[in-house]
Amino acid sequence: MAALVDTRRRTLRRHRWWAFPLPALIFFGTSALWFAAGSVTAGASMLAPAVVFLGWLTWHHRRFDRRLTRMRRRLQS
């Protein structure tokens, strides 16, 4: 069980370098392009879900990481 938890933690941390910047680039880049094109409504309608989604993604990642850390600590003791 400890090996499974360790594998999940390694996988979670290994993919962190692209899992956050890539959606941010897609969402905020698209929003910036809409703003640059002069469509404030489309830019704002893309920016609002981007902020919500990236906030949720950060919260979910931190929650899962804390859960795995807690599991690992319980397995060690």
Side-chain angles (χ1 to χ4, degrees):
M1 196 65 177
L4 176 64
V5 171
D6 290 340
T7 302
R8 295 292 296 182
R9 286 175 67 198
R10 272 194 306 273
T11 304
L12 187 69
R13 292 192 174 135
R14 185 176 349 137
H15 297 297
R16 187 184 319 175
W17 70 270
W18 66 266
F20 289 106
L22 187 63
L25 179 68
I26 291 169
F27 281 121
F28 292 130
T30 306
S31 178
L33 286 175
W34 278 113
F35 280 125
S39 180
V40 176
T41 306
S45 66
M46 190 66 185
L47 186 62
V51 170
V52 170
F53 176 70
L54 289 172
W56 172 82
L57 188 65
T58 304
W59 171 79
H60 183 71
H61 176 77
R62 292 187 67 183
R63 181 175 146 248
F64 195 66
D65 191 33
R66 281 192 310 259
R67 182 181 291 171
L68 287 174
T69 303
R70 247 186 346 258
M71 274 191 246
R72 185 64 176 127
R73 236 182 291 128
R74 287 179 184 165
L75 287 171
Q76 284 176 345
S77 51

